[in-house]
Amino acid sequence: MSSFLDPADAVAVGDATIVPDATRPVAAVVTGEDVRWVTWPDAPLPDGAVDGVRVLATTEGGWIVYESNGDGGDAVSRSAVHVTPTGVTTAVDLGDRQPLGADVDGLWISDPRPASMWDGDDEDEDVDVDADADGSDDSDADDPLDGVDPETLPWAPAEPFWPTPEEWAATVEAEAAAEHDHDDPELLDDEDDGGPYTWSIGFGDESEGFVPSMEPVADPGPPLPTPATDLVLVRPDGTRATIAVDHLVEGVGREGSVLTVRYAPTGPRRIPDTTGGLLYTYQYREVDVDLSDGLPTTITTDDLPARTVVDDEDESSWEADEARLEAARAPWIERLDITGVEGARWPLHDTDESTKEQAVAALVGVFDSLAEPGILWTREHPEPRRAASGYRAVEVVVEGEWPATEVVVSFEHSDVPYLRLRRRYRVFDEAGHVEDWTYVTVYLEEDIATRDIPARDAAVDGVLDI
């Protein structure tokens, strides 16, 4: 059975194209009809499972940067491999440093903290609102469930889990007719079993009794200056050079011997609005540094002519990046067979049996509780009540041997009548690290609620894999 390379990107270097895999330590070097393989199974991996990969191209090759979100999605760690048409020149551990760009001299990395951390101190930031005057903690004093057994709560009225077969058939027929008669096909989504949807979410709506404050809100004060940080160049041979910069660096670019450094002199400015909230505006600047005489040891942006730049991280730029990546990957999908390529797999992580069992049990336990009732509050009925789950007939099975172990959950959901839904989750990545499934049920519920699932006619024997 063939195992095709899953292209992460494609980097052109002269008449060769380097096509690295998205998850495995292998790249194809394609020159005309010739395909050579480059592997790096001994390269360092970030802590935990690999959650993402990014390729930064240069005129000599490409930097493949691996990222892991760590436990709970908080602690980020990264590693990188530099690949050229002739092979790997270096593989390095980046720690928590974030990549800012790459050029012929190497990979630029810097402080991963966002500028938002320096928005300024709130007036009562140091006040512990949960502490009593005597220093004791009374954080649960207002918890409506404090001391209440959920089993004793009354049930909220519930609608039938699914409409009757006759009601459902009439609904499907009406929606099919509406779709057929609709004169604007762009408003339809063929994958939506319920036709077009309009979503509206409001917070603090006036109809619910909210009245925006027309009184001016106190100015929260200026933002704080960002701290001095290190800008580090990781060279293709693995050596490093460090430049001390007086502010938080947000990006770098290079034209010939001129290095352009984009930085945040301060955190975001907080501007009060009429609803009592705050609007955050960022201002970035750029300075040019001449590298004709080599790398400096320090860059003092406050002493250099600076340009104010507009934050261009908008939806259009993101879509353009995605379009470029999709076009670069497309010619190589299911084309390059890595079956039998030596070194094209990461060595298995040294995971003990206890860790394996705990990881499987933790994910199984999350899904085992899907059908349990929840606690409900409403504006009309502010007292807590038990509410029936939107899931029923939940079945959870474990399939496959480590590291290919999967938790397979299937269930019926009140939003998808007369179908059984099923989804598979890898517990470990290819190298045997535990995958991070924080908020997995939240994402599952969002997919169902927004109909981000396949069309109903993709179901087999009444089961739809989502």
Side-chain angles (χ1 to χ4, degrees), residues 30-72:
V30 184
T31 307
E33 297 298 321
D34 179 54
V35 178
R36 293 180 295 108
W37 299 103
V38 178
T39 62
W40 50 93
D42 297 329
L45 274 168
D47 295 335
V50 174
D51 296 305
V53 63
R54 179 183 173 192
V55 181
L56 292 88
T58 73
T59 56
E60 303 294 331
W63 288 90
I64 303 163
V65 180
Y66 299 101
E67 179 174 292
S68 169
N69 292 332
D71 295 335

Short mmCIF file of all heavy atoms in Angstrom, two decimals, residues 30-72:
data_model
loop_
_atom_site.label_atom_id
_atom_site.label_comp_id
_atom_site.label_asym_id
_atom_site.label_seq_id
_atom_site.Cartn_x
_atom_site.Cartn_y
_atom_site.Cartn_z
N VAL A 30 13.02 17.51 -5.97
CA VAL A 30 12.61 17.16 -7.32
C VAL A 30 13.34 18.05 -8.32
O VAL A 30 13.26 19.28 -8.26
CB VAL A 30 11.09 17.31 -7.49
CG1 VAL A 30 10.66 16.84 -8.88
CG2 VAL A 30 10.34 16.54 -6.41
N THR A 31 14.05 17.40 -9.25
CA THR A 31 14.72 18.12 -10.34
C THR A 31 14.30 17.45 -11.65
O THR A 31 14.75 16.34 -11.95
CB THR A 31 16.24 18.07 -10.19
OG1 THR A 31 16.61 18.52 -8.88
CG2 THR A 31 16.91 18.95 -11.23
N GLY A 32 13.42 18.11 -12.38
CA GLY A 32 12.88 17.48 -13.58
C GLY A 32 12.11 16.23 -13.21
O GLY A 32 11.17 16.27 -12.41
N GLU A 33 12.53 15.09 -13.76
CA GLU A 33 11.89 13.81 -13.44
C GLU A 33 12.59 13.08 -12.30
O GLU A 33 12.13 12.03 -11.84
CB GLU A 33 11.87 12.91 -14.68
CG GLU A 33 11.05 13.46 -15.84
CD GLU A 33 9.59 13.61 -15.47
OE1 GLU A 33 9.06 12.73 -14.76
OE2 GLU A 33 8.98 14.63 -15.86
N ASP A 34 13.71 13.64 -11.83
CA ASP A 34 14.49 12.99 -10.78
C ASP A 34 13.96 13.38 -9.40
O ASP A 34 13.71 14.56 -9.13
CB ASP A 34 15.96 13.40 -10.90
CG ASP A 34 16.81 12.78 -9.81
OD1 ASP A 34 16.78 11.54 -9.67
OD2 ASP A 34 17.47 13.53 -9.06
N VAL A 35 13.78 12.38 -8.52
CA VAL A 35 13.32 12.60 -7.15
C VAL A 35 14.34 12.01 -6.19
O VAL A 35 14.66 10.81 -6.26
CB VAL A 35 11.94 11.98 -6.89
CG1 VAL A 35 11.53 12.20 -5.43
CG2 VAL A 35 10.90 12.57 -7.83
N ARG A 36 14.90 12.83 -5.33
CA ARG A 36 15.79 12.37 -4.27
C ARG A 36 15.15 12.67 -2.92
O ARG A 36 14.35 13.59 -2.79
CB ARG A 36 17.15 13.08 -4.37
CG ARG A 36 17.93 12.70 -5.62
CD ARG A 36 19.27 13.42 -5.70
NE ARG A 36 19.12 14.87 -5.84
CZ ARG A 36 19.38 15.75 -4.90
NH1 ARG A 36 19.78 15.35 -3.71
NH2 ARG A 36 19.22 17.04 -5.13
N TRP A 37 15.53 11.87 -1.92
CA TRP A 37 14.91 12.01 -0.61
C TRP A 37 15.90 12.53 0.41
O TRP A 37 17.07 12.12 0.44
CB TRP A 37 14.35 10.67 -0.13
CG TRP A 37 13.29 10.13 -1.04
CD1 TRP A 37 13.42 9.13 -1.96
CD2 TRP A 37 11.94 10.58 -1.13
NE1 TRP A 37 12.24 8.93 -2.62
CE2 TRP A 37 11.31 9.80 -2.13
CE3 TRP A 37 11.20 11.56 -0.47
CZ2 TRP A 37 9.97 9.98 -2.47
CZ3 TRP A 37 9.87 11.74 -0.81
CH2 TRP A 37 9.27 10.96 -1.80
N VAL A 38 15.43 13.44 1.25
CA VAL A 38 16.21 13.96 2.37
C VAL A 38 15.41 13.68 3.64
O VAL A 38 14.20 13.96 3.70
CB VAL A 38 16.44 15.49 2.24
CG1 VAL A 38 17.21 16.01 3.44
CG2 VAL A 38 17.18 15.80 0.95
N THR A 39 16.05 13.11 4.65
CA THR A 39 15.35 12.79 5.90
C THR A 39 16.14 13.33 7.09
O THR A 39 17.35 13.56 7.01
CB THR A 39 15.16 11.27 6.07
OG1 THR A 39 16.45 10.64 6.14
CG2 THR A 39 14.38 10.69 4.89
N TRP A 40 15.45 13.51 8.22
CA TRP A 40 16.09 14.01 9.44
C TRP A 40 15.40 13.41 10.68
O TRP A 40 14.90 14.12 11.55
CB TRP A 40 16.04 15.55 9.48
CG TRP A 40 14.69 16.16 9.21
CD1 TRP A 40 13.74 16.50 10.12
CD2 TRP A 40 14.13 16.49 7.92
NE1 TRP A 40 12.63 17.03 9.50
CE2 TRP A 40 12.85 17.05 8.15
CE3 TRP A 40 14.59 16.39 6.61
CZ2 TRP A 40 12.03 17.49 7.11
CZ3 TRP A 40 13.77 16.83 5.59
CH2 TRP A 40 12.51 17.37 5.84
N PRO A 41 15.38 12.09 10.80
CA PRO A 41 14.68 11.45 11.93
C PRO A 41 15.27 11.77 13.29
O PRO A 41 14.59 11.62 14.31
CB PRO A 41 14.79 9.95 11.61
CG PRO A 41 15.99 9.85 10.73
CD PRO A 41 16.00 11.10 9.90
N ASP A 42 16.54 12.20 13.33
CA ASP A 42 17.19 12.49 14.62
C ASP A 42 17.08 13.96 15.02
O ASP A 42 17.65 14.36 16.04
CB ASP A 42 18.67 12.09 14.56
CG ASP A 42 18.85 10.60 14.34
OD1 ASP A 42 17.98 9.84 14.80
OD2 ASP A 42 19.84 10.21 13.69
N ALA A 43 16.39 14.77 14.23
CA ALA A 43 16.23 16.19 14.58
C ALA A 43 15.40 16.33 15.84
O ALA A 43 14.53 15.51 16.12
CB ALA A 43 15.56 16.94 13.43
N PRO A 44 15.64 17.38 16.64
CA PRO A 44 14.82 17.57 17.85
C PRO A 44 13.39 17.93 17.50
O PRO A 44 13.14 18.65 16.53
CB PRO A 44 15.53 18.72 18.57
CG PRO A 44 16.22 19.48 17.48
CD PRO A 44 16.65 18.46 16.48
N LEU A 45 12.47 17.41 18.28
CA LEU A 45 11.07 17.76 18.15
C LEU A 45 10.68 18.68 19.29
O LEU A 45 11.27 18.61 20.38
CB LEU A 45 10.18 16.51 18.18
CG LEU A 45 9.96 15.78 16.87
CD1 LEU A 45 9.32 14.42 17.11
CD2 LEU A 45 9.09 16.61 15.95
N PRO A 46 9.69 19.56 19.11
CA PRO A 46 9.22 20.36 20.24
C PRO A 46 8.58 19.46 21.29
O PRO A 46 8.22 18.31 21.01
CB PRO A 46 8.19 21.31 19.61
CG PRO A 46 7.74 20.61 18.37
CD PRO A 46 8.93 19.86 17.88
N ASP A 47 8.46 19.96 22.50
CA ASP A 47 7.85 19.17 23.57
C ASP A 47 6.41 18.84 23.20
O ASP A 47 5.66 19.70 22.76
CB ASP A 47 7.87 19.95 24.89
CG ASP A 47 9.30 20.19 25.37
OD1 ASP A 47 10.18 19.40 24.99
OD2 ASP A 47 9.52 21.17 26.09
N GLY A 48 6.00 17.61 23.42
CA GLY A 48 4.62 17.21 23.14
C GLY A 48 4.41 16.94 21.67
O GLY A 48 5.34 16.87 20.87
N ALA A 49 3.16 16.79 21.29
CA ALA A 49 2.82 16.48 19.92
C ALA A 49 3.04 17.69 19.02
O ALA A 49 2.91 18.83 19.44
CB ALA A 49 1.36 16.04 19.83
N VAL A 50 3.38 17.44 17.75
CA VAL A 50 3.55 18.52 16.78
C VAL A 50 2.17 19.02 16.37
O VAL A 50 1.37 18.28 15.81
CB VAL A 50 4.34 18.05 15.55
CG1 VAL A 50 4.37 19.14 14.49
CG2 VAL A 50 5.74 17.63 15.94
N ASP A 51 1.88 20.28 16.65
CA ASP A 51 0.57 20.85 16.35
C ASP A 51 0.56 21.66 15.07
O ASP A 51 -0.50 22.00 14.56
CB ASP A 51 0.11 21.74 17.51
CG ASP A 51 -0.11 20.94 18.77
OD1 ASP A 51 -0.87 19.96 18.74
OD2 ASP A 51 0.50 21.28 19.80
N GLY A 52 1.73 22.00 14.55
CA GLY A 52 1.75 22.78 13.33
C GLY A 52 3.14 22.80 12.73
O GLY A 52 4.14 22.55 13.40
N VAL A 53 3.21 23.09 11.43
CA VAL A 53 4.48 23.19 10.74
C VAL A 53 4.42 24.40 9.81
O VAL A 53 3.37 24.72 9.25
CB VAL A 53 4.79 21.91 9.93
CG1 VAL A 53 3.76 21.68 8.85
CG2 VAL A 53 6.19 21.96 9.34
N ARG A 54 5.52 25.09 9.68
CA ARG A 54 5.62 26.27 8.82
C ARG A 54 6.94 26.21 8.07
O ARG A 54 7.97 25.85 8.64
CB ARG A 54 5.55 27.54 9.67
CG ARG A 54 5.67 28.85 8.89
CD ARG A 54 5.65 30.03 9.85
NE ARG A 54 5.92 31.30 9.17
CZ ARG A 54 6.19 32.43 9.80
NH1 ARG A 54 6.23 32.46 11.14
NH2 ARG A 54 6.42 33.54 9.12
N VAL A 55 6.89 26.53 6.79
CA VAL A 55 8.09 26.51 5.96
C VAL A 55 8.43 27.94 5.56
O VAL A 55 7.61 28.64 4.98
CB VAL A 55 7.89 25.64 4.71
CG1 VAL A 55 9.16 25.62 3.87
CG2 VAL A 55 7.48 24.22 5.10
N LEU A 56 9.67 28.37 5.86
CA LEU A 56 10.15 29.70 5.49
C LEU A 56 11.23 29.53 4.43
O LEU A 56 12.29 28.95 4.70
CB LEU A 56 10.69 30.45 6.70
CG LEU A 56 9.65 30.87 7.76
CD1 LEU A 56 9.45 29.76 8.78
CD2 LEU A 56 10.08 32.14 8.46
N ALA A 57 10.94 30.02 3.24
CA ALA A 57 11.83 29.82 2.10
C ALA A 57 12.92 30.86 2.05
O ALA A 57 12.72 32.03 2.42
CB ALA A 57 11.02 29.85 0.81
N THR A 58 14.10 30.46 1.55
CA THR A 58 15.20 31.37 1.26
C THR A 58 15.74 31.01 -0.13
O THR A 58 15.30 30.04 -0.75
CB THR A 58 16.33 31.26 2.29
OG1 THR A 58 17.04 30.02 2.09
CG2 THR A 58 15.79 31.30 3.71
N THR A 59 16.71 31.77 -0.59
CA THR A 59 17.28 31.47 -1.91
C THR A 59 18.13 30.21 -1.90
O THR A 59 18.43 29.65 -2.96
CB THR A 59 18.15 32.64 -2.39
OG1 THR A 59 19.17 32.91 -1.40
CG2 THR A 59 17.30 33.89 -2.60
N GLU A 60 18.51 29.72 -0.71
CA GLU A 60 19.36 28.54 -0.60
C GLU A 60 18.61 27.29 -0.19
O GLU A 60 19.14 26.18 -0.31
CB GLU A 60 20.49 28.80 0.41
CG GLU A 60 21.34 30.01 0.09
CD GLU A 60 22.15 29.81 -1.20
OE1 GLU A 60 22.48 28.66 -1.52
OE2 GLU A 60 22.42 30.82 -1.88
N GLY A 61 17.39 27.43 0.33
CA GLY A 61 16.65 26.28 0.82
C GLY A 61 15.44 26.71 1.60
O GLY A 61 14.79 27.71 1.29
N GLY A 62 15.13 25.96 2.65
CA GLY A 62 13.96 26.30 3.46
C GLY A 62 14.14 25.88 4.90
O GLY A 62 14.80 24.87 5.20
N TRP A 63 13.56 26.68 5.79
CA TRP A 63 13.53 26.35 7.22
C TRP A 63 12.16 25.74 7.52
O TRP A 63 11.13 26.36 7.27
CB TRP A 63 13.74 27.60 8.07
CG TRP A 63 15.13 28.13 8.05
CD1 TRP A 63 15.66 29.03 7.18
CD2 TRP A 63 16.19 27.78 8.95
NE1 TRP A 63 16.97 29.27 7.47
CE2 TRP A 63 17.33 28.51 8.56
CE3 TRP A 63 16.28 26.92 10.05
CZ2 TRP A 63 18.55 28.41 9.23
CZ3 TRP A 63 17.50 26.82 10.71
CH2 TRP A 63 18.61 27.56 10.32
N ILE A 64 12.16 24.53 8.05
CA ILE A 64 10.92 23.86 8.44
C ILE A 64 10.80 23.99 9.95
O ILE A 64 11.62 23.43 10.70
CB ILE A 64 10.95 22.38 8.01
CG1 ILE A 64 11.17 22.30 6.50
CG2 ILE A 64 9.64 21.69 8.38
CD1 ILE A 64 11.62 20.95 6.03
N VAL A 65 9.81 24.73 10.39
CA VAL A 65 9.65 25.03 11.81
C VAL A 65 8.47 24.23 12.36
O VAL A 65 7.34 24.36 11.87
CB VAL A 65 9.41 26.54 12.04
CG1 VAL A 65 9.25 26.82 13.54
CG2 VAL A 65 10.57 27.35 11.47
N TYR A 66 8.74 23.41 13.37
CA TYR A 66 7.70 22.62 14.02
C TYR A 66 7.27 23.32 15.30
O TYR A 66 8.10 23.91 16.01
CB TYR A 66 8.22 21.22 14.36
CG TYR A 66 8.65 20.42 13.16
CD1 TYR A 66 10.01 20.30 12.84
CD2 TYR A 66 7.72 19.79 12.35
CE1 TYR A 66 10.41 19.57 11.74
CE2 TYR A 66 8.11 19.06 11.24
CZ TYR A 66 9.46 18.94 10.94
OH TYR A 66 9.86 18.23 9.85
N GLU A 67 5.98 23.21 15.61
CA GLU A 67 5.45 23.88 16.80
C GLU A 67 4.56 22.94 17.58
O GLU A 67 3.80 22.15 17.01
CB GLU A 67 4.65 25.11 16.38
CG GLU A 67 4.03 25.87 17.55
CD GLU A 67 3.38 27.16 17.11
OE1 GLU A 67 4.11 28.07 16.69
OE2 GLU A 67 2.15 27.24 17.17
N SER A 68 4.64 23.02 18.89
CA SER A 68 3.77 22.27 19.78
C SER A 68 3.15 23.24 20.78
O SER A 68 3.84 24.11 21.31
CB SER A 68 4.56 21.20 20.55
OG SER A 68 3.77 20.65 21.59
N ASN A 69 1.85 23.09 21.01
CA ASN A 69 1.15 23.95 21.96
C ASN A 69 1.29 23.48 23.39
O ASN A 69 0.89 24.16 24.32
CB ASN A 69 -0.33 24.06 21.61
CG ASN A 69 -0.55 24.82 20.32
OD1 ASN A 69 0.25 25.68 19.96
ND2 ASN A 69 -1.61 24.49 19.62
N GLY A 70 1.80 22.27 23.59
CA GLY A 70 1.98 21.77 24.95
C GLY A 70 0.67 21.46 25.63
O GLY A 70 -0.40 21.44 25.02
N ASP A 71 0.72 21.17 26.92
CA ASP A 71 -0.46 20.81 27.68
C ASP A 71 -1.38 22.00 27.83
O ASP A 71 -0.98 23.07 28.25
CB ASP A 71 -0.07 20.30 29.08
CG ASP A 71 0.72 19.00 29.01
OD1 ASP A 71 0.55 18.28 28.01
OD2 ASP A 71 1.49 18.73 29.94
N GLY A 72 -2.65 21.81 27.46
CA GLY A 72 -3.64 22.86 27.63
C GLY A 72 -3.52 23.99 26.64
O GLY A 72 -4.21 24.99 26.72
#
